[in-house]
Every structure is written in C-alpha cells, then in structure tokens.
Amino acid sequence: MQNNQFMAVSISNNDKSWVAVDANSDFPIQNLPFGIFKTSNQGPRVGVAIGDQIVDLLGLFVLGYLENLPFERSDFETDTLNAMMKRRKKACSDLRLRVYKLLLSDYPDLQNNQHHCDQVIIPQADVEMLMPVEVGDYTDFYSSREHATNVGTMFRDPDNALLPNWLHIPVGYHGRASSIIISGTPIRRPKGQQRPSDDEPPVYGPCKLLDFELEMAFVTFDGKPLGDTISTDEADDYIFGMCLFNDWSARDIQKWEYVPLGPFLAKNFASSISPWVVTLDALEQFRIPGPVQEPKVLPYLEYSGNKHIDINLQVAIEPEGGNETIISNSNYKHMYWNMNQQLAHHTVNGCNIRCGDMMASGTISGPVPESYGSMLELSWKGTKPLKMNDGSERKFILDGDTVIMKGHCEKDGVRVGFGEVKTKVLPAK
Ligand code: CA
C-alpha cells in the first residue's frame, strides 16, 4: 500500500469516482451512505453504496485499506452498523473520507488492483440489504406545522387547529423499536379495536383506514450519561445520519384508542425504513434556514446556523399488478422543528440516548394539498379520493398496494439521495 493513503482529502462537487455512476443515481461519490448487506455466499457485513455498486468494508479492512483508523474487523463483520457507530462521529467521518479517497478517479491504490476490486466492489443487484441498525429506542416527533394544522382542522377546531403547546415544544412520543422493518418487507393489515360511530359499541377486526406517514428518521451515536443534556449546538455530534421512514398508521384504531395517552396499537405494528443511512456529513451542503419561529422559543431550543435540510420527497402507490401513481411531492424543509431542536428537547430533562436510537420527524406535509404526507390529508379523511393511473380510486391503502417513498437532495449538479422505502400491504391474517 502506498503512503498516499494518508493524504488529506477534500471533497469537491466536481469529484468523480472511477466506479461508473449514472447521472440520476442517488449514490455519487459525494454521498457514500452506509448499510448492511449479504450475498448468496457471504454473510452480513457493512457496505457503502457507490452508483449501482457496493463497496464491501469488511473486504477493505481485510485487505488493509482501512489502516490507521480506529476500527476492528468485528465492526464490519456484523449484521448492524451499531459496532461501527460505537466509534463515534469523528471515526465514522474519517472512515467515510477514506472510502471517498479510495474511490476517487485520480487515486490509484484500489482502482489499479483489479484483483482487489473484484473482491470488494459488488453489484447492488446481487445482494440482499438488511436492517442497517439495531434500533434501541424509537421516538416519533410531530414537527410539521402543516401536518399538525391539517390534523387539528379535521379532528378538532379549524380556528384553533394547533394545540397550545405545539409552537413551544417539539411534540413527540415513544414508539416501538421491535417492529421497525427494512424496505421490501411486506406488512399485514393490522387488526384491532375500532368504534365506527360514536353511538355504537366498539368492534374488533381488520383496520379499514390503513395509512402511511411520510417521514425522515435520524440515527444517533451514544449520547451523554443519564442526567446530562445535549444542546442544539452539540446535537450534530450525536447524529450519524438519516433514512426514509414510513410510519404506518391505522386511523380507525388510532381514533378510538389515542385519548388520553396518545398513539399505541395504531402505530406500533410496523414502521418501514430505507436500507441506506445517509450521513449528516453528506447532507451538510444541503442545509438551509428554517422558518421564523414565532412565538420565540425558550433558550434551550434556540439554535444557530442553518439546521434544516432541503430534501425532495415523493410518495407513490403501486396497485397489485399495476403501475405506480405518484400521489405526493413534499420536502423535509417543511419541518418547523429541526433535528437539533428535537434532540435538545429529548434530552433536556436528562433522558439519555444510545447508539442506534432512531428518531423520526413526524409526517412531513407541505403547504399545498399535493405535498401532504399521509392519505388522511391527501384524501381529506376520505372525502376526496385520489385517482390512480389504472382508473381506480384510493381513500386509504388497500390490500395488495405497494407504497414507495423516495428522497433526494440536489444542488450545483450534485444529487445525494436516499434510495427508496417500498412496502407491500398483505391482507389481514
Ligand atoms: Ca408519525
């Protein structure tokens, strides 16, 4: 190995990789997201996406390309990213930069060794992606003003749609980690208690109003000890990266159960995520200012710099045997509360976070109906059915439907994307 592996590397939007990357790919060299994959003859391991290929980090480690970084073989020969993330922010950023350099068009070490390339560059088409993270605790926020306003308008009072706390607190609840699943895993329509009308007794059966929620989630490093807090300024150091997140929701079960303690069985039957975790480092150049927050927030929720991110988001429904219809175009920039505020709020009481915790944004709805992030809003409680390309209509999600969410950032000719989270709904058991 040549000594130039220790050269400092600076990232430029003009950089290209010697691995061919299509112009429309979500995974140029400026992205390099992390995931877990396995092949027909090799067990689970850490990989990094480049174009339609994967770089095998276990392979890189074994061949000596990751020398002088604070990682061990077991950090990559594993079925979750947790061991790698245990090394914390600086180590993971340096690791990504090392992979960046190895893939750079004018950097010879790996590209000139065809034998090594054959071992560590693997077509994505030949692998199975696995859950990237062992999620310890999962929290779901409720941070889109438009979504909260729409829900408040439909179910409470249009003139006072936001509850009194909403503009002061990044409202959230603790969800369930065990049912977070990887894209491609089908779900069963959940069953549960519903009360179809206010003057009838409750019934039990398959959910009739199955919905998705378009969200983004972030994954954390280990935080501080119990009792300590993480400030908005410190928050970036505790966030590894982000993925697409579909928070499946059973609206009829939700309506009957949620008073007084909030979401329970209407939410915890499944949440689907995309397989690649895009690092906060890769998203840095897509930061933008957030909305003016009025009334002024309490000091612990104040923040400096651009902490919102411009991420284009799309939702499509693919009926059984049919073609997909795009039903929503939204953007993560519509968040009222950003991740730094969410994490500062989550820890302000001394609650500790751990490596592999997942925190979702809450449904991301934009200002116009075409940008709403759930069927509840898109069909306005079922009063405005959506037209599908095949002529059918949707008020909520039907058995056999596949819901597909995609997301990407784009600026100065560089596209950094998340791939997709795609989930088919099967009939209730
Ligand atoms: Ca949600």
Side-chain angles (χ1 to χ4, degrees), residues 138 140-142 147 173 213 215 245 247 249 267 360 362-363:
Y138 155 52
D140 194 21
F141 285 96
Y142 189 57
H147 173 67
Y173 70 96
E213 290 189 336
E215 306 196 16
F245 192 97
D247 182 23
S249 300
K267 299 282 188 173
T363 308

Side-chain angles (χ1 to χ4, degrees), residues 103 112 130 136 149 239 308 370 396:
L103 294 174
N112 288 352
L130 306 174
T149 302
I239 299 173
H308 286 63
E370 296 74 27
F396 289 89

Side-chain angles (χ1 to χ4, degrees), residues 33-298:
F34 289 80
I36 298 287
F37 73 98
K38 67 176 182 181
T39 66
S40 53
N41 54 11
Q42 290 188 309
R45 57 197 53 212
V46 176
V48 165
I50 176 81
D52 59 3
Q53 306 287 310
I54 294 178
V55 188
D56 176 350
L57 262 58
L58 173 59
L60 285 185
F61 184 90
V62 169
L63 294 171
Y65 288 98
L66 304 181
E67 279 177 2
N68 297 96
L69 289 169
F71 292 94
E72 293 174 7
R73 177 177 177 139
S74 56
D75 296 335
F76 305 117
E77 194 169 27
T78 167
D79 60 0
T80 73
L81 296 175
N82 294 54
M84 190 192 86
M85 292 191 296
K86 273 278 183 189
R87 309 285 178 184
R88 295 179 180 272
K89 181 89 172 192
K90 170 78 166 63
C92 290
S93 295
D94 288 348
L95 173 62
R96 178 171 164 272
L97 287 178
R98 178 68 62 83
V99 176
Y100 188 94
K101 185 154 54 172
L102 289 167
L103 294 174
L104 257 183
S105 58
D106 53 2
Y107 189 78
D109 279 23
L110 179 58
Q111 70 171 309
N112 288 352
N113 190 326
Q114 191 57 48
H115 182 58
H116 286 177
C117 289
D118 291 344
Q119 289 180 61
V120 301
I121 307 290
I122 300 162
Q124 286 181 27
D126 294 349
V127 313
E128 180 186 348
M129 297 304 297
L130 306 174
M131 265 293 288
V133 177
E134 183 180 2
V135 181
D137 283 300
Y138 155 52
T139 298
D140 194 21
F141 285 96
Y142 189 57
S143 290
S144 154
R145 183 173 189 159
E146 285 77 7
H147 173 67
T149 302
N150 286 339
V151 173
T153 300
M154 275 185 265
F155 291 106
R156 287 186 301 271
D157 175 6
D159 297 325
N160 294 290
L162 290 181
L163 288 168
N165 61 4
W166 200 91
L167 293 169
H168 299 273
I169 291 176
V171 171
Y173 70 96
H174 287 302
R176 186 154 183 91
S178 68
S179 52
I180 299 179
I181 52 176
I182 185 83
S183 174
T185 311
I187 64 163
R188 288 271 172 199
R189 178 174 297 272
K191 294 184 287 190
Q193 272 201 37
Q194 308 130 37
R195 194 185 189 191
S197 75
D198 291 346
D199 44 14
E200 285 173 81
V203 297
Y204 167 79
C207 151
K208 293 182 184 65
L209 308 181
L210 181 62
D211 202 354
F212 60 81
E213 290 189 336
L214 170 64
E215 306 196 16
M216 299 290 305
F218 65 89
V219 179
T220 65
F221 294 110
D222 272 323
K224 296 181 182 179
L226 181 67
D228 284 2
T229 61
I230 294 172
S231 70
T232 56
D233 279 346
E234 295 168 326
D236 288 347
D237 291 338
Y238 294 94
I239 299 173
F240 174 58
M242 302 181 73
C243 59
L244 299 163
F245 192 97
N246 180 351
D247 182 23
W248 290 99
S249 300
R251 299 301 179 196
D252 37 7
I253 296 172
Q254 184 178 2
K255 188 171 180 238
W256 174 227
E257 76 171 6
Y258 87 104
V259 178
L261 283 185
F264 188 37
L265 303 182
K267 299 282 188 173
N268 69 3
F269 60 94
S271 304
S272 307
I273 65 169
S274 52
W276 294 107
V277 182
V278 177
T279 64
L280 215 50
D281 294 341
L283 296 169
E284 204 55 46
Q285 65 168 317
F286 305 101
R287 297 270 198 187
I288 51 168
V292 175
Q293 294 184 318
E294 181 61 46
K296 199 164 153 22
V297 298
L298 287 170

Side-chain angles (χ1 to χ4, degrees), residues 6-60:
F6 301 111
M7 284 187 329
V9 67
S10 61
I11 291 183
S12 157
N13 282 342
N14 296 321
D15 285 342
K16 299 271 187 240
S17 174
W18 48 267
V19 177
V21 177
D22 189 84
N24 294 321
S25 173
D26 279 349
F27 309 119
I29 194 169
Q30 287 80 9
N31 189 349
L32 303 185
F34 289 80
I36 298 287
F37 73 98
K38 67 176 182 181
T39 66
S40 53
N41 54 11
Q42 290 188 309
R45 57 197 53 212
V46 176
V48 165
I50 176 81
D52 59 3
Q53 306 287 310
I54 294 178
V55 188
D56 176 350
L57 262 58
L58 173 59
L60 285 185

